[in-house]
Amino acid sequence: MDGEIQALNELTQHTSKRPPPGGLSDLAFGSLAGMAGKVVEYPFDTVKVRLQTSSSQVFAGTLDCLRQTWTNEGFRGFYRGLTSPLAGAMAENAVAFYAYNQIQQLIRRASATPSEVGLGLPHLFMSGGVSGAICAFVISPVELVKCKLQVENVPGNAQQGGVRFKGPLSVVGHLLRTEGVAGLYRGIGPTVARETLGVGFWFGTYEMVCRELLRRKGKQAVDKDALGPGSIILAGGCAGIAYNVTSYPIDVVKSMIQTADVRSTEAQSGSPARKGGVVATARAVYSAGGVPAFYRGLGITLLRAFPANAAMFMTYEYLSRLVAR
């Protein structure tokens, strides 16, 4: 075991022979990776948000939510509100990959680490966490719009005043009229917390799994070009699992805050969740179902996490390889 740990630590002192893309390449490849992942994951995400924001009296579980969505809305119901998060995923991932690589360069300069020497895993986890905090300000308004559209059609839910949203622009217009720009950033606090923790583990886990797979291949340098599609799928899938397992309870609180005015039980009362505080909302979630309530919908989330994140990293990795040729 000590020998394996030493070998893995040695790998962290090397970097890929292919330098990471920079600038416009990061933005373009990250954008396309985000689009690929979002198309794969969105139906699962719709079920997740509906489970997170509904009681067991509305949906008995994942299969019941799937059945009701299909019966009441058909195939299109699973993709309700896709336009906004698709654009958001492209923007978020473009920023995430760009910021991730740029933060690594800042760390190199601050620590006088030459470009041919790889950063250690703690630095990579930290780079991912900082990039996640930055991304939160890009994705928060997008997720707010997405969650409202996903939850609005759940049986029994209705916007206060009888408002029915026609699409993303309808949601944005309503928020600007009733709450101003600040309304677009409802839930920004838990979003920042979720992205800082989750994206740190997302990038960190991806790098850690890649390095372990390279070590098993007997490679002496961290060269992702030596990894085939199966390895990238495994590393990307594990990254998605790590992101969701670590940040899911925060995501539940965030979703509850962002959909409080759409869910009938909250819209009709001055409940803690309706008032919008993070602590009050967390207490309301706990009171409703204890610790398990913070993990309602986790199963469907993990089911979508593996293929969606594998698709994202595969897209980014192979586009980067094409440019390096």
PDB file of all heavy atoms in Angstrom, residues 204-216:
ATOM      1  N   GLY A 204     -11.400  17.507  -9.022  1.00  0.00           N
ATOM      2  CA  GLY A 204     -10.419  16.753  -8.241  1.00  0.00           C
ATOM      3  C   GLY A 204     -10.555  15.257  -8.413  1.00  0.00           C
ATOM      4  O   GLY A 204      -9.551  14.536  -8.558  1.00  0.00           O
ATOM      5  N   THR A 205     -11.781  14.757  -8.403  1.00  0.00           N
ATOM      6  CA  THR A 205     -12.004  13.324  -8.575  1.00  0.00           C
ATOM      7  C   THR A 205     -11.617  12.874  -9.972  1.00  0.00           C
ATOM      8  O   THR A 205     -11.026  11.799 -10.159  1.00  0.00           O
ATOM      9  CB  THR A 205     -13.479  12.980  -8.290  1.00  0.00           C
ATOM     10  OG1 THR A 205     -13.792  13.340  -6.942  1.00  0.00           O
ATOM     11  CG2 THR A 205     -13.748  11.497  -8.499  1.00  0.00           C
ATOM     12  N   TYR A 206     -11.948  13.687 -10.970  1.00  0.00           N
ATOM     13  CA  TYR A 206     -11.573  13.346 -12.345  1.00  0.00           C
ATOM     14  C   TYR A 206     -10.062  13.189 -12.469  1.00  0.00           C
ATOM     15  O   TYR A 206      -9.565  12.198 -13.027  1.00  0.00           O
ATOM     16  CB  TYR A 206     -12.075  14.420 -13.305  1.00  0.00           C
ATOM     17  CG  TYR A 206     -11.681  14.183 -14.751  1.00  0.00           C
ATOM     18  CD1 TYR A 206     -12.307  13.194 -15.499  1.00  0.00           C
ATOM     19  CD2 TYR A 206     -10.677  14.940 -15.356  1.00  0.00           C
ATOM     20  CE1 TYR A 206     -11.947  12.964 -16.824  1.00  0.00           C
ATOM     21  CE2 TYR A 206     -10.320  14.717 -16.674  1.00  0.00           C
ATOM     22  CZ  TYR A 206     -10.947  13.730 -17.400  1.00  0.00           C
ATOM     23  OH  TYR A 206     -10.586  13.506 -18.702  1.00  0.00           O
ATOM     24  N   GLU A 207      -9.322  14.154 -11.947  1.00  0.00           N
ATOM     25  CA  GLU A 207      -7.865  14.102 -12.022  1.00  0.00           C
ATOM     26  C   GLU A 207      -7.323  12.908 -11.230  1.00  0.00           C
ATOM     27  O   GLU A 207      -6.398  12.220 -11.672  1.00  0.00           O
ATOM     28  CB  GLU A 207      -7.258  15.393 -11.468  1.00  0.00           C
ATOM     29  CG  GLU A 207      -7.651  16.652 -12.222  1.00  0.00           C
ATOM     30  CD  GLU A 207      -6.919  16.806 -13.543  1.00  0.00           C
ATOM     31  OE1 GLU A 207      -6.076  15.948 -13.878  1.00  0.00           O
ATOM     32  OE2 GLU A 207      -7.184  17.802 -14.248  1.00  0.00           O
ATOM     33  N   MET A 208      -7.891  12.651 -10.062  1.00  0.00           N
ATOM     34  CA  MET A 208      -7.413  11.564  -9.217  1.00  0.00           C
ATOM     35  C   MET A 208      -7.621  10.202  -9.880  1.00  0.00           C
ATOM     36  O   MET A 208      -6.724   9.354  -9.879  1.00  0.00           O
ATOM     37  CB  MET A 208      -8.135  11.598  -7.873  1.00  0.00           C
ATOM     38  CG  MET A 208      -7.626  10.581  -6.862  1.00  0.00           C
ATOM     39  SD  MET A 208      -8.317  10.879  -5.203  1.00  0.00           S
ATOM     40  CE  MET A 208     -10.068  10.676  -5.535  1.00  0.00           C
ATOM     41  N   VAL A 209      -8.800   9.996 -10.471  1.00  0.00           N
ATOM     42  CA  VAL A 209      -9.073   8.718 -11.135  1.00  0.00           C
ATOM     43  C   VAL A 209      -8.184   8.557 -12.366  1.00  0.00           C
ATOM     44  O   VAL A 209      -7.634   7.479 -12.613  1.00  0.00           O
ATOM     45  CB  VAL A 209     -10.566   8.613 -11.522  1.00  0.00           C
ATOM     46  CG1 VAL A 209     -10.818   7.359 -12.357  1.00  0.00           C
ATOM     47  CG2 VAL A 209     -11.438   8.593 -10.271  1.00  0.00           C
ATOM     48  N   CYS A 210      -8.015   9.636 -13.138  1.00  0.00           N
ATOM     49  CA  CYS A 210      -7.138   9.565 -14.313  1.00  0.00           C
ATOM     50  C   CYS A 210      -5.723   9.172 -13.909  1.00  0.00           C
ATOM     51  O   CYS A 210      -5.078   8.339 -14.560  1.00  0.00           O
ATOM     52  CB  CYS A 210      -7.116  10.909 -15.045  1.00  0.00           C
ATOM     53  SG  CYS A 210      -8.588  11.251 -16.037  1.00  0.00           S
ATOM     54  N   ARG A 211      -5.223   9.766 -12.846  1.00  0.00           N
ATOM     55  CA  ARG A 211      -3.861   9.478 -12.416  1.00  0.00           C
ATOM     56  C   ARG A 211      -3.707   8.051 -11.915  1.00  0.00           C
ATOM     57  O   ARG A 211      -2.684   7.405 -12.144  1.00  0.00           O
ATOM     58  CB  ARG A 211      -3.440  10.494 -11.342  1.00  0.00           C
ATOM     59  CG  ARG A 211      -3.246  11.879 -11.933  1.00  0.00           C
ATOM     60  CD  ARG A 211      -2.853  12.906 -10.897  1.00  0.00           C
ATOM     61  NE  ARG A 211      -2.596  14.188 -11.548  1.00  0.00           N
ATOM     62  CZ  ARG A 211      -2.117  15.255 -10.938  1.00  0.00           C
ATOM     63  NH1 ARG A 211      -1.841  15.200  -9.641  1.00  0.00           N
ATOM     64  NH2 ARG A 211      -1.909  16.373 -11.603  1.00  0.00           N
ATOM     65  N   GLU A 212      -4.736   7.555 -11.238  1.00  0.00           N
ATOM     66  CA  GLU A 212      -4.680   6.176 -10.782  1.00  0.00           C
ATOM     67  C   GLU A 212      -4.706   5.210 -11.971  1.00  0.00           C
ATOM     68  O   GLU A 212      -3.971   4.208 -11.987  1.00  0.00           O
ATOM     69  CB  GLU A 212      -5.853   5.896  -9.840  1.00  0.00           C
ATOM     70  CG  GLU A 212      -5.982   4.446  -9.393  1.00  0.00           C
ATOM     71  CD  GLU A 212      -4.787   3.925  -8.625  1.00  0.00           C
ATOM     72  OE1 GLU A 212      -3.967   4.747  -8.146  1.00  0.00           O
ATOM     73  OE2 GLU A 212      -4.650   2.697  -8.512  1.00  0.00           O
ATOM     74  N   LEU A 213      -5.519   5.509 -12.975  1.00  0.00           N
ATOM     75  CA  LEU A 213      -5.563   4.656 -14.161  1.00  0.00           C
ATOM     76  C   LEU A 213      -4.238   4.689 -14.910  1.00  0.00           C
ATOM     77  O   LEU A 213      -3.778   3.664 -15.435  1.00  0.00           O
ATOM     78  CB  LEU A 213      -6.710   5.107 -15.084  1.00  0.00           C
ATOM     79  CG  LEU A 213      -8.128   4.881 -14.532  1.00  0.00           C
ATOM     80  CD1 LEU A 213      -9.150   5.546 -15.440  1.00  0.00           C
ATOM     81  CD2 LEU A 213      -8.418   3.396 -14.388  1.00  0.00           C
ATOM     82  N   LEU A 214      -3.615   5.841 -14.967  1.00  0.00           N
ATOM     83  CA  LEU A 214      -2.299   5.948 -15.600  1.00  0.00           C
ATOM     84  C   LEU A 214      -1.253   5.167 -14.817  1.00  0.00           C
ATOM     85  O   LEU A 214      -0.378   4.514 -15.400  1.00  0.00           O
ATOM     86  CB  LEU A 214      -1.884   7.423 -15.710  1.00  0.00           C
ATOM     87  CG  LEU A 214      -2.603   8.215 -16.802  1.00  0.00           C
ATOM     88  CD1 LEU A 214      -2.418   9.714 -16.572  1.00  0.00           C
ATOM     89  CD2 LEU A 214      -2.097   7.836 -18.185  1.00  0.00           C
ATOM     90  N   ARG A 215      -1.329   5.226 -13.497  1.00  0.00           N
ATOM     91  CA  ARG A 215      -0.381   4.475 -12.672  1.00  0.00           C
ATOM     92  C   ARG A 215      -0.513   2.977 -12.946  1.00  0.00           C
ATOM     93  O   ARG A 215       0.489   2.262 -13.045  1.00  0.00           O
ATOM     94  CB  ARG A 215      -0.640   4.757 -11.189  1.00  0.00           C
ATOM     95  CG  ARG A 215       0.398   4.124 -10.257  1.00  0.00           C
ATOM     96  CD  ARG A 215      -0.043   4.184  -8.816  1.00  0.00           C
ATOM     97  NE  ARG A 215      -1.210   3.349  -8.564  1.00  0.00           N
ATOM     98  CZ  ARG A 215      -1.148   2.028  -8.397  1.00  0.00           C
ATOM     99  NH1 ARG A 215       0.020   1.393  -8.478  1.00  0.00           N
ATOM    100  NH2 ARG A 215      -2.236   1.339  -8.166  1.00  0.00           N
ATOM    101  N   ARG A 216      -1.751   2.513 -13.082  1.00  0.00           N
ATOM    102  CA  ARG A 216      -1.975   1.093 -13.349  1.00  0.00           C
ATOM    103  C   ARG A 216      -1.455   0.690 -14.730  1.00  0.00           C
ATOM    104  O   ARG A 216      -1.155  -0.480 -14.951  1.00  0.00           O
ATOM    105  CB  ARG A 216      -3.462   0.767 -13.225  1.00  0.00           C
ATOM    106  CG  ARG A 216      -3.985   0.845 -11.792  1.00  0.00           C
ATOM    107  CD  ARG A 216      -5.470   0.613 -11.712  1.00  0.00           C
ATOM    108  NE  ARG A 216      -5.953   0.664 -10.346  1.00  0.00           N
ATOM    109  CZ  ARG A 216      -5.981  -0.374  -9.509  1.00  0.00           C
ATOM    110  NH1 ARG A 216      -5.546  -1.562  -9.931  1.00  0.00           N
ATOM    111  NH2 ARG A 216      -6.426  -0.237  -8.281  1.00  0.00           N
TER     112      ARG A 216
END
